[in-house]
Amino acid sequence: MARRYTVVTLFPDLVRDAMTHGVTGRAISRGRCKLDFINPRDYAGNTRGSVDDAPYGGGPGMVMRVEPLRASLDAIKSGSPAPFVVGLTPQGRRLDQAAVLDLARHPHLVLVAGRYEGIDERFIERDCDAEWSIGDYVLSGGEIAALVILDAIIRTLPDVLGDDASAAADSFCGGILDWPHYTRPARIGEQSVPDVLLGGDHAAIARWRRKQALGRTWQRRPDLLERIALEQSDLALLREYQREARLAEGDATRDC
Ligand code: 9D3
């Protein structure tokens, strides 16, 4: 069965519109997944009629009330199994590709996007199965976080990316950064495409790319390298890159 994604949000149009483009839009129009929305505003109820209220204890901003959110979950007509409910907050665990692959396993995922200062903690505690953040920066609400997560999940689903190679490359390269990419023309002023890419030696090209990927990860994201065990052949490529980088560094210093 196609995967189902429900976003609980005060701004369904924001999320829906963004999802109609590119890979995600095609996945939806081709029926690889279904996307629907619940607006807590429609479940604000008669008692208070609002989706937010002032925080107990005082302070700035408003807090999203539990009842419209709970009523939203109740309104999600879901078969079995029960959907997996994810609260999106700055306090959640920080998303990475491993988390994305894990979330992608659920047949029905509900993403709850908060607005205002936050969501009443009792909803997170009682009604959510997990709480995720997409990173350490401040957004205006959970909608863009929901988009990020949906985009990342949907491209991992079978038959969603144009060719299997791209999907395989995503998961295979997971762990280290990409090598540099080039397309025509081969020369733009003094900027030239590396010679090895212009020749037809596919083994040499593969070796160069792997070396660049390892080297750039070492330079830019040493934290990623620490998490993976490198093969002997990779270690040799990385040493080669490091030796060349130090030589270039020496040249640059002499130039000064
Ligand atoms: C002053 C304390 N702020 C918390 C860090 C207030 C606050 C900022 C932003 C409260 C809510 C929000 C709205 N952000 C989200 O809903 C959100 C979010 C984010 O801001 N960054 C990364 N991931 C996420 S997921 C949801």
Side-chain angles (χ1 to χ4, degrees), residues 88-91 114 116-118 132-135 137-142 145:
L88 301 172
T89 80
Q91 290 73 45
Y116 316 114
E117 276 304 294
W132 289 98
S133 155
I134 61 163
Y137 34 79
V138 182
L139 302 173
S140 306

Side-chain angles (χ1 to χ4, degrees), residues 3-81:
R3 296 282 198 249
R4 181 181 172 196
Y5 303 105
T6 304
V7 185
V8 176
T9 169
L10 293 169
F11 300 100
D13 293 344
L14 188 160
V15 180
R16 189 188 295 108
D17 291 351
M19 292 290 292
T20 62
H21 302 274
V23 167
T24 51
R26 256 188 318 275
I28 294 164
S29 65
R30 291 182 182 167
R32 300 278 184 262
C33 60
K34 293 198 316 189
L35 180 62
D36 48 47
F37 298 90
I38 298 275
N39 190 338
R41 179 83 55 201
D42 297 335
Y43 301 90
N46 308 328
T47 44
R48 317 196 77 82
S50 56
V51 292
D52 61 329
D53 205 339
Y56 276 118
M62 300 291 270
V63 175
M64 281 187 88
R65 297 176 49 234
V66 170
E67 287 135 288
L69 290 173
R70 258 185 205 154
S72 296
L73 292 188
D74 289 342
I76 296 170
K77 287 171 272 300
S78 64
S80 58

Side-chain angles (χ1 to χ4, degrees), residues 55-124:
Y56 276 118
M62 300 291 270
V63 175
M64 281 187 88
R65 297 176 49 234
V66 170
E67 287 135 288
L69 290 173
R70 258 185 205 154
S72 296
L73 292 188
D74 289 342
I76 296 170
K77 287 171 272 300
S78 64
S80 58
F84 189 81
V85 180
V86 175
L88 301 172
T89 80
Q91 290 73 45
R93 285 181 58 194
R94 185 161 60 192
L95 193 79
D96 59 15
Q97 189 67 11
V100 168
L101 291 170
D102 207 52
L103 289 173
R105 298 188 354 236
H106 297 283
H108 185 190
L109 207 57
V110 177
L111 300 175
V112 182
R115 280 272 154 173
Y116 316 114
E117 276 304 294
I119 300 173
D120 188 311
E121 191 66 20
R122 292 168 294 186
F123 177 79
I124 304 287

Side-chain angles (χ1 to χ4, degrees), residues 123-192:
F123 177 79
I124 304 287
E125 224 174 78
R126 182 71 60 82
D127 303 271
C128 294
D129 299 303
E131 187 180 1
W132 289 98
S133 155
I134 61 163
D136 298 335
Y137 34 79
V138 182
L139 302 173
S140 306
E143 283 76 15
I144 289 175
L147 283 170
V148 166
I149 293 176
L150 289 173
D151 185 271
I153 287 177
I154 288 170
R155 57 183 289 115
T156 73
L157 299 180
D159 302 325
V160 163
L161 288 190
D163 59 308
D164 292 345
S166 309
D170 269 1
S171 48
F172 171 73
C173 285
I176 70 170
L177 304 182
D178 253 358
W179 53 75
H181 302 281
Y182 299 91
T183 187
R184 282 179 283 200
R187 178 179 259 276
I188 302 174
E190 65 271 34
Q191 290 183 292
S192 299

